[in-house]
Amino acid sequence: MAKTKFRHQPLSTELHQQPIRLIKLFPGDGSSQISCTIDHVFLVDFPAYETLSYCWGDPTVTEEIFCNSARLEVTTNLFHALSHLRFITKPRILWIDAICIDQSNAEERKQQVLLMRLIYQRSMSTFIWLGRWTPDGDLAISLIPRLIHAYQEQKKRGDKRRIFEMNAEALDLYDIPMVFSSAYRALSSLLLNDWFKRMWIIQEVAASPDANISYGSWNIPWTDFACAVMYASDLGAMQGMCWNSTQRLDQVAEIQAARAAVNENKAQTLLGLLLLHRAHVASDPRDKVYALCGLLSDRGPDRLDIEPDYTLSNRDVYVKVAIAILRNSRNLDILSVPKVPVKSEVNNLLSWVPDWSVSDFSRSLRYPNNSGGYWNQHQATPGNLRSDIILDDTSNSIAISGHLVDRITVVGELYDPSTNEDISWWQSMCWRMPSEQNVYNNWDKVAGARSKILYVNGEDIIDAYWKTLVLGQIGFTTQDHAATKAAFLLWDRHFRAFMRYLPLNYMVWAFPLLSLFWYIFLGFFHLVLGVRSNPGSQFRHRLMFLAQRRICRTEKGYIGIVPRTAEKGDSVGLFKGGAVPLLLRSEDDKWELVGDAYIHGIMNGEAFVEEKCKYINII
């Protein structure tokens, strides 16, 4: 047995040749020692190899393999992946980051990260390793071909029914399990696999010409997996699964969109990618940025001078990125990134610099859609006005041109629909549904939604209220407006029934229990009678954009949606280049950025006066 510890030999300094390492994984069975050798090659020579996409796992729990006849410690998850991937009778050529990159060499890491997209693009195939075989995992993966078949059959027949509307005959025809089947629960659990959390997988899957999930005896193309998962979601089969797994459904769709953008050579901005994939994690906080840089299109709108530099601190990387985006974009979209008051791995960040190390599902009001636009279309200041920014190179504080228009007097309770990913769906519903009702009860009071008075802009207060809940996204036609209002009224009647018709002040203690029973009754009604999902439930789905936010009322009588960290006394400002209002908090003679806000009645330039603009310092 070798006693020598493996050490990487330096790569070629001929960077134009794109030097990388490849491993030759020797054949073996499940019980034999894992052995490999490392060869130095040039990407420009188009070597033949495959790549691995996996989750490193706990770096303190390792197994031993032999590389170039020397001992090499790898994480347990990688050890099992190597054992699974090796052939019985012939060697296999692979590129695996943990082995092929000298992780202790900052300069080499930089050069290899710059090549990462090309490495995956040039590979013959990419294997996605989700861990060792389990019965639940096998059940989940075995569901994928059935869902693909059902999707194709429904599309061919023009059948737009959701699973709640299908009888036993239809389920047999499409060969899919009934709702609440253990197969859907297994798929939901599979989506909680740590692999889906990784930031690097976005580039790995997006750039790979042939990505496949390798699990037990299954080899499922990523495109089939993504299609099946999104179909299950659209079908309503995943309805009722825990919050975290349903959020992973969105992430799968976003990864697939990134893959399509790479294949079609669509321009992608760094800020847009950071916002779309913020919920992903990286062991090195700097990689929350660096893992996405390879997806930026050369011909795209972002020409940022951002290259991996592992000699910089986490703070310095985030400041550099924020400054580059501000200067390049000439708008204030980056100031709309939500703040999350949890423990951060980055110390002493300025209030205007986003902390990308924090993974969160809350969304900016400038959240991009998969078509290159924005989910929310607002223009609180004229669209032809570019941002006017002065940067202090010494302190990295900024001064932006604009003016204050109002101040918050009341903030409501926090809407937090997330739950612990380890609890069951029934436990999640028992916690979330009553809590949700209580939050909306509080919001009703803050907004004065039932007061029957006129809002500050002359419309009925109830209209201002529901428009605020959907962040002003009411459509472009009279018909769209009427349909959205009808959906609100249905939601208000179905999901807010006890608040509407019972004297809540006499029965606060019973409200959570009664609201829970009402949700169960509605679910049973839709399931047993096969009633199609109504606009009321669709309206409730739209409210998920309010996650991690509060309602507010201002001195001038406006109501709005503000960040979770908003407080009484925060000022509302409008600034050149800013599509949405910003909340500021006074700090001596300077200001601290709180976040973006939707203030109903000033989202389309009604309150902006260019002549009032002056520079306001933000630290």
Coordinates of all heavy atoms in Angstrom, one line a residue, residues 243-299:
W243 N -43.2 23.4 1.6 CA -42.8 24.6 1.0 C -41.4 24.5 0.3 O -41.3 24.9 -0.9 CB -42.7 25.7 2.0 CG -41.9 26.9 1.6 CD1 -40.6 27.2 1.9 CD2 -42.4 28.0 0.8 NE1 -40.3 28.4 1.3 CE2 -41.4 28.9 0.7 CE3 -43.7 28.3 0.3 CZ2 -41.5 30.1 0.0 CZ3 -43.8 29.5 -0.4 CH2 -42.7 30.4 -0.5
N244 N -40.4 23.9 0.9 CA -39.1 23.8 0.4 C -39.0 23.0 -0.9 O -38.4 23.4 -1.9 CB -38.1 23.2 1.4 CG -38.0 24.1 2.6 OD1 -39.0 24.1 3.4 ND2 -36.9 24.7 2.8
S245 N -39.8 21.9 -1.0 CA -39.8 21.1 -2.2 C -40.5 21.8 -3.4 O -40.1 21.7 -4.5 CB -40.3 19.7 -2.0 OG -41.7 19.8 -1.6
T246 N -41.6 22.6 -3.0 CA -42.3 23.3 -4.1 C -41.4 24.4 -4.6 O -41.5 24.8 -5.8 CB -43.6 23.9 -3.6 OG1 -43.4 24.7 -2.4 CG2 -44.6 22.7 -3.2
Q247 N -40.6 25.0 -3.8 CA -39.7 26.0 -4.3 C -38.6 25.4 -5.2 O -38.1 26.1 -6.1 CB -39.0 26.8 -3.1 CG -39.9 27.6 -2.2 CD -40.7 28.6 -3.1 OE1 -40.1 29.5 -3.7 NE2 -42.0 28.5 -3.1
R248 N -38.2 24.2 -4.9 CA -37.3 23.5 -5.8 C -37.9 23.3 -7.2 O -37.1 23.1 -8.2 CB -36.9 22.2 -5.2 CG -36.1 22.3 -3.8 CD -34.7 22.8 -4.0 NE -34.1 23.1 -2.7 CZ -33.6 22.1 -1.9 NH1 -33.5 20.9 -2.3 NH2 -33.0 22.5 -0.8
L249 N -39.2 23.2 -7.3 CA -39.8 23.0 -8.6 C -39.5 24.3 -9.4 O -39.2 24.2 -10.6 CB -41.3 22.9 -8.4 CG -41.9 21.7 -7.7 CD1 -43.4 21.8 -7.5 CD2 -41.6 20.4 -8.5
D250 N -39.6 25.4 -8.8 CA -39.2 26.7 -9.5 C -37.8 26.7 -9.9 O -37.4 27.1 -11.0 CB -39.5 27.9 -8.6 CG -41.0 28.1 -8.4 OD1 -41.8 27.6 -9.2 OD2 -41.3 28.8 -7.4
Q251 N -36.9 26.1 -9.0 CA -35.5 26.1 -9.3 C -35.2 25.2 -10.5 O -34.3 25.5 -11.3 CB -34.7 25.7 -8.1 CG -34.7 26.7 -7.0 CD -34.0 26.2 -5.7 OE1 -34.5 25.4 -5.0 NE2 -32.8 26.7 -5.5
V252 N -35.9 24.1 -10.6 CA -35.7 23.2 -11.7 C -36.0 23.9 -13.0 O -35.3 23.8 -14.0 CB -36.5 21.9 -11.6 CG1 -36.5 21.1 -12.9 CG2 -36.0 21.0 -10.4
A253 N -37.1 24.6 -13.0 CA -37.6 25.4 -14.2 C -36.5 26.4 -14.5 O -36.3 26.7 -15.7 CB -38.9 26.0 -13.9
E254 N -36.0 27.1 -13.5 CA -35.0 28.1 -13.8 C -33.7 27.6 -14.3 O -33.0 28.2 -15.2 CB -34.7 28.9 -12.5 CG -35.9 29.9 -12.2 CD -36.0 30.3 -10.7 OE1 -35.1 29.8 -9.9 OE2 -36.9 31.0 -10.3
I255 N -33.3 26.4 -13.9 CA -32.1 25.7 -14.4 C -32.3 25.4 -15.9 O -31.4 25.5 -16.7 CB -31.7 24.5 -13.6 CG1 -31.3 24.9 -12.2 CG2 -30.6 23.7 -14.3 CD1 -31.1 23.7 -11.2
Q256 N -33.5 24.9 -16.2 CA -33.8 24.5 -17.5 C -33.9 25.7 -18.4 O -33.4 25.7 -19.6 CB -35.2 23.8 -17.6 CG -35.6 23.2 -18.9 CD -34.6 22.1 -19.3 OE1 -33.7 21.6 -18.6 NE2 -34.8 21.6 -20.5
A257 N -34.3 26.9 -17.9 CA -34.3 28.1 -18.6 C -32.9 28.6 -18.9 O -32.6 29.1 -20.0 CB -35.1 29.2 -17.9
A258 N -32.0 28.4 -17.9 CA -30.6 28.8 -18.1 C -29.9 27.9 -19.2 O -29.1 28.3 -20.0 CB -29.8 28.6 -16.8
R259 N -30.3 26.6 -19.2 CA -29.8 25.7 -20.2 C -30.3 26.1 -21.6 O -29.5 26.1 -22.6 CB -30.3 24.3 -19.9 CG -29.8 23.2 -20.8 CD -30.3 21.8 -20.3 NE -30.0 20.8 -21.2 CZ -28.9 20.1 -21.3 NH1 -27.9 20.4 -20.4 NH2 -28.7 19.1 -22.2
A260 N -31.6 26.5 -21.7 CA -32.1 26.9 -23.0 C -31.4 28.2 -23.5 O -31.1 28.4 -24.6 CB -33.6 27.2 -22.9
A261 N -31.1 29.1 -22.5 CA -30.4 30.4 -22.9 C -29.0 30.1 -23.4 O -28.6 30.8 -24.3 CB -30.4 31.3 -21.6
V262 N -28.3 29.2 -22.8 CA -27.0 28.8 -23.3 C -27.1 28.2 -24.7 O -26.3 28.6 -25.6 CB -26.3 27.9 -22.3 CG1 -25.0 27.3 -23.0 CG2 -25.9 28.6 -21.0
N263 N -28.0 27.3 -24.9 CA -28.2 26.6 -26.2 C -28.5 27.6 -27.3 O -28.1 27.5 -28.4 CB -29.2 25.5 -26.1 CG -28.7 24.4 -25.2 OD1 -27.5 24.2 -25.1 ND2 -29.7 23.6 -24.7
E264 N -29.3 28.6 -26.9 CA -29.8 29.6 -27.9 C -28.9 30.9 -27.9 O -29.2 31.8 -28.6 CB -31.2 30.0 -27.6 CG -32.2 28.8 -27.7 CD -33.6 29.1 -27.1 OE1 -33.9 30.3 -26.9 OE2 -34.3 28.2 -26.8
N265 N -27.9 30.9 -27.1 CA -26.9 32.0 -27.0 C -27.7 33.3 -26.7 O -27.4 34.4 -27.2 CB -26.2 32.2 -28.3 CG -24.9 33.0 -28.1 OD1 -24.3 33.0 -27.0 ND2 -24.4 33.7 -29.1
K266 N -28.6 33.2 -25.7 CA -29.3 34.4 -25.3 C -28.5 35.1 -24.3 O -27.7 34.6 -23.5 CB -30.6 34.0 -24.6 CG -31.7 33.6 -25.6 CD -33.0 33.3 -24.9 CE -34.1 32.9 -25.8 NZ -35.4 32.5 -25.1
A267 N -28.6 36.5 -24.3 CA -27.9 37.3 -23.3 C -28.4 37.1 -21.9 O -29.7 37.1 -21.8 CB -27.9 38.8 -23.7
Q268 N -27.6 37.0 -20.9 CA -28.0 36.9 -19.6 C -27.2 37.8 -18.7 O -25.9 37.8 -18.8 CB -27.8 35.4 -19.0 CG -28.6 34.4 -19.8 CD -28.5 33.0 -19.2 OE1 -29.2 32.6 -18.3 NE2 -27.6 32.2 -19.7
T269 N -27.8 38.6 -17.9 CA -27.1 39.6 -17.1 C -26.7 38.9 -15.7 O -27.4 38.0 -15.2 CB -28.0 40.8 -16.7 OG1 -29.1 40.5 -15.9 CG2 -28.5 41.5 -18.0
L270 N -25.6 39.4 -15.2 CA -25.2 38.8 -13.9 C -26.2 39.1 -12.8 O -26.5 38.2 -12.0 CB -23.8 39.5 -13.5 CG -23.2 39.0 -12.2 CD1 -23.1 37.5 -12.2 CD2 -21.9 39.6 -11.9
L271 N -26.7 40.3 -12.7 CA -27.7 40.6 -11.7 C -28.9 39.7 -11.9 O -29.5 39.2 -10.9 CB -28.1 42.1 -11.7 CG -29.2 42.5 -10.7 CD1 -28.7 42.1 -9.3 CD2 -29.5 43.9 -10.8
G272 N -29.4 39.5 -13.1 CA -30.6 38.7 -13.3 C -30.3 37.3 -12.9 O -31.2 36.6 -12.2
L273 N -29.1 36.7 -13.2 CA -28.8 35.4 -12.8 C -28.7 35.3 -11.2 O -29.1 34.3 -10.6 CB -27.5 34.9 -13.4 CG -27.6 34.6 -14.9 CD1 -26.2 34.5 -15.5 CD2 -28.5 33.4 -15.2
L274 N -28.1 36.3 -10.6 CA -27.9 36.3 -9.2 C -29.3 36.3 -8.5 O -29.5 35.6 -7.5 CB -27.1 37.5 -8.7 CG -25.6 37.4 -9.0 CD1 -24.9 38.8 -8.8 CD2 -24.9 36.4 -8.1
L275 N -30.2 37.0 -9.0 CA -31.5 37.1 -8.4 C -32.3 35.8 -8.6 O -32.9 35.2 -7.7 CB -32.3 38.2 -9.0 CG -31.9 39.6 -8.6 CD1 -32.6 40.7 -9.4 CD2 -32.2 39.8 -7.1
L276 N -32.2 35.2 -9.9 CA -32.9 34.0 -10.2 C -32.4 32.8 -9.3 O -33.2 31.9 -8.9 CB -32.7 33.7 -11.7 CG -33.6 34.4 -12.7 CD1 -33.2 34.1 -14.1 CD2 -35.1 34.0 -12.5
H277 N -31.1 32.8 -9.0 CA -30.6 31.6 -8.4 C -30.0 31.9 -7.0 O -29.2 31.1 -6.5 CB -29.4 31.0 -9.3 CG -29.9 30.7 -10.7 ND1 -30.8 29.8 -11.0 CD2 -29.5 31.3 -11.9 CE1 -31.0 29.7 -12.3 NE2 -30.3 30.7 -12.9
R278 N -30.6 32.9 -6.4 CA -30.1 33.3 -5.0 C -30.3 32.2 -4.0 O -29.5 32.1 -3.0 CB -30.7 34.6 -4.6 CG -30.1 35.1 -3.3 CD -30.8 36.4 -2.8 NE -30.0 37.0 -1.7 CZ -30.5 38.0 -1.0 NH1 -31.7 38.5 -1.3 NH2 -29.8 38.5 0.0
A279 N -31.3 31.4 -4.2 CA -31.6 30.3 -3.2 C -30.6 29.2 -3.2 O -30.6 28.4 -2.3 CB -33.0 29.8 -3.5
H280 N -29.8 29.1 -4.2 CA -28.7 28.1 -4.3 C -27.6 28.5 -3.3 O -27.4 29.6 -2.9 CB -28.2 27.9 -5.7 CG -29.2 27.3 -6.6 ND1 -29.3 25.9 -6.8 CD2 -30.1 27.8 -7.4 CE1 -30.3 25.7 -7.6 NE2 -30.8 26.8 -8.0
V281 N -26.8 27.5 -3.0 CA -25.7 27.7 -2.0 C -24.4 27.3 -2.5 O -24.3 26.5 -3.5 CB -26.0 26.9 -0.7 CG1 -27.3 27.3 0.0 CG2 -26.0 25.4 -0.9
A282 N -23.3 27.8 -1.9 CA -22.0 27.4 -2.3 C -21.1 27.4 -1.0 O -21.4 28.3 -0.1 CB -21.4 28.4 -3.3
S283 N -20.2 26.5 -0.9 CA -19.4 26.4 0.3 C -18.5 27.6 0.5 O -18.2 28.0 1.6 CB -18.6 25.1 0.3 OG -17.8 25.0 -0.8
D284 N -18.1 28.2 -0.6 CA -17.3 29.4 -0.6 C -18.2 30.6 -1.1 O -18.7 30.6 -2.2 CB -16.1 29.3 -1.6 CG -15.2 30.5 -1.6 OD1 -15.6 31.6 -1.3 OD2 -14.0 30.3 -1.8
P285 N -18.5 31.6 -0.2 CA -19.5 32.6 -0.6 C -19.1 33.4 -1.9 O -20.0 33.9 -2.5 CB -19.4 33.6 0.6 CG -19.0 32.7 1.8 CD -18.0 31.7 1.2
R286 N -17.8 33.4 -2.2 CA -17.4 34.1 -3.4 C -18.0 33.3 -4.7 O -18.2 33.9 -5.7 CB -15.9 34.2 -3.5 CG -15.3 35.1 -2.4 CD -13.8 34.9 -2.3 NE -13.4 33.6 -1.8 CZ -12.2 33.3 -1.4 NH1 -11.3 34.2 -1.5 NH2 -12.0 32.1 -0.9
D287 N -18.2 32.0 -4.5 CA -18.7 31.2 -5.6 C -20.1 31.5 -5.9 O -20.6 31.0 -7.0 CB -18.4 29.7 -5.4 CG -17.0 29.4 -5.6 OD1 -16.3 30.1 -6.3 OD2 -16.5 28.3 -5.0
K288 N -20.9 32.2 -5.0 CA -22.2 32.6 -5.4 C -22.2 33.5 -6.6 O -23.2 33.6 -7.3 CB -22.9 33.3 -4.2 CG -23.2 32.4 -3.0 CD -24.3 31.3 -3.3 CE -25.7 32.0 -3.5 NZ -26.4 32.3 -2.2
V289 N -21.1 34.2 -6.8 CA -20.9 35.0 -8.0 C -20.2 34.3 -9.1 O -20.6 34.2 -10.2 CB -20.2 36.3 -7.6 CG1 -19.9 37.2 -8.9 CG2 -21.0 37.2 -6.6
Y290 N -19.0 33.7 -8.7 CA -18.2 33.2 -9.7 C -18.8 32.0 -10.5 O -18.5 31.7 -11.6 CB -16.9 32.7 -9.1 CG -16.0 33.8 -8.5 CD1 -15.1 33.6 -7.5 CD2 -16.1 35.1 -9.0 CE1 -14.3 34.6 -6.9 CE2 -15.4 36.2 -8.4 CZ -14.5 35.9 -7.4 OH -13.7 36.9 -6.9
A291 N -19.7 31.3 -9.8 CA -20.3 30.1 -10.4 C -21.2 30.5 -11.6 O -21.6 29.6 -12.4 CB -21.1 29.3 -9.4
L292 N -21.6 31.8 -11.6 CA -22.6 32.2 -12.6 C -21.9 33.0 -13.8 O -22.5 33.2 -14.8 CB -23.6 33.1 -12.0 CG -24.6 32.4 -11.0 CD1 -25.5 33.5 -10.3 CD2 -25.4 31.3 -11.7
C293 N -20.7 33.4 -13.5 CA -20.0 34.3 -14.5 C -19.8 33.6 -15.9 O -19.9 34.3 -16.9 CB -18.6 34.8 -14.0 SG -18.8 36.0 -12.7
G294 N -19.7 32.3 -15.9 CA -19.5 31.6 -17.1 C -20.7 31.6 -18.0 O -20.7 31.2 -19.2
L295 N -21.9 31.9 -17.4 CA -23.2 31.9 -18.2 C -23.4 33.2 -18.9 O -24.4 33.3 -19.7 CB -24.3 31.6 -17.3 CG -24.3 30.2 -16.6 CD1 -25.5 30.0 -15.7 CD2 -24.3 29.1 -17.7
L296 N -22.6 34.3 -18.6 CA -22.9 35.5 -19.3 C -22.5 35.5 -20.7 O -21.4 35.0 -21.1 CB -22.1 36.6 -18.6 CG -22.4 36.9 -17.1 CD1 -21.6 38.0 -16.5 CD2 -23.9 37.1 -16.9
S297 N -23.3 36.0 -21.6 CA -23.1 36.0 -23.0 C -22.1 37.1 -23.4 O -22.2 38.2 -22.9 CB -24.4 36.2 -23.8 OG -24.1 36.4 -25.2
D298 N -21.1 36.8 -24.2 CA -20.2 37.8 -24.7 C -20.9 39.0 -25.4 O -20.4 40.1 -25.3 CB -19.1 37.2 -25.6 CG -18.2 36.3 -24.9 OD1 -18.0 36.5 -23.7 OD2 -17.6 35.4 -25.6
R299 N -22.0 38.7 -26.1 CA -22.6 39.8 -26.8 C -23.8 40.4 -26.0 O -24.5 41.2 -26.5 CB -23.2 39.2 -28.1 CG -24.3 38.2 -27.9 CD -24.9 37.7 -29.2 NE -25.9 36.6 -29.0 CZ -27.1 36.9 -28.7 NH1 -27.5 38.1 -28.6 NH2 -28.0 35.9 -28.6

